[in-house]
Each structure stands twice: as structure tokens, then as C-alpha cells.
Amino acid sequence: MSMKCLLASLVGALVVFLAGWILYGLAFGGFFAANAGSVGELGIKDPPAIGWIALGAVFWGGLLATVLGWRGATTALAGAKTGAVLGFLVSLAQGFTFLGGANISTLLSTLVDPFVFAAMLASGGAATAAMLGRGSEAGA
């Protein structure tokens, strides 16, 4: 992995972490708490384990940098589009799998989450691709 890819991964991770805090913690926290499935609030850590969430963001940043590198995406717009599609599809797949196998969500939260998650990965994808494009003609 090149230094540019590593840096892009870390920037993407930071943006994903901050976007997740804004979207899942502030904007939609109440909605997802109210739609936590039959486990209810038992399934939500209070306070959340920020270290584990941050580590998860690092892996999202790495995934975004890998996929965007494969695509040759070096602009914020290309990164945002790719991140949004990736986030939407991953959330749908994970959401319906969990809906079928666990009591941690409702159908409503399963249908809303892909849009929230797509926004989170779109922001991370934009930052990651912009970093990958720094210093290149395509990214200028």
C-alpha cells in the first residue's frame, strides 16, 4: 500500500467517523433507538464504545480507498458516487440479513438505514478520492 493510499484511507476513516457521529448520533439517533427491534434499548450501548466505532471507521476508510483505487476515482464527485452506491448496497444486504436473523431492527429502520449509510460513505468516499487525486492531473 502506498503512502498516498494509506493517507487517503485515514482521511476517509476520519470523515466516516465524523459523518457517522453526526448522522447516527445526532440526526437519526432517536429514530434508530425507537426502531431497535424487540431487543429495544438493550441493544444500544450507552455510552457507545467509541474506540471500537473508530476502529470500524478505519476499516471503512481502507475499503473506500481500495475500491476507489481500483476504480481510478480521483475526484470528490466520483468518490461520493461510489461511496453512496457502496454504502446503500452494503446497508441493504446487512439490514435484511439482520432483519431475518436477529431482533435488532425493524423493517422501517432497515429501509431507512441505506439512505443514512449511503450519505455517510458518500462523504468518506468524497474525501478519500480527493486525497487519492491530490497531485494528479485528474484530481485537479
Side-chain angles (χ1 to χ4, degrees), residues 4 72-78 129-130 132-140:
K4 183 183 249 186
T74 56
T75 66
L77 181 59
L132 289 172
R134 284 185 61 164
S136 70
E137 199 171 301

Side-chain angles (χ1 to χ4, degrees), residues 36-137:
S38 63
V39 297
E41 301 234 353
L42 294 174
I44 298 173
K45 289 186 177 186
D46 188 22
I50 299 299
W52 294 120
I53 295 170
L55 183 59
V58 169
F59 289 111
W60 283 119
L63 178 66
L64 285 168
T66 301
V67 170
L68 293 169
W70 287 341
R71 279 202 71 226
T74 56
T75 66
L77 181 59
K81 288 178 181 179
T82 301
V85 170
L86 184 65
F88 192 81
L89 293 175
V90 165
S91 179
L92 280 174
Q94 180 178 334
F96 280 104
T97 300
F98 285 163
L99 188 63
N103 294 317
I104 60 172
S105 63
T106 63
L107 178 59
L108 180 59
S109 66
T110 299
L111 294 173
V112 169
D113 186 62
F115 296 97
V116 178
F117 199 68
M120 185 176 84
L121 285 195
S123 62
T128 303
M131 290 303 295
L132 289 172
R134 284 185 61 164
S136 70
E137 199 171 301

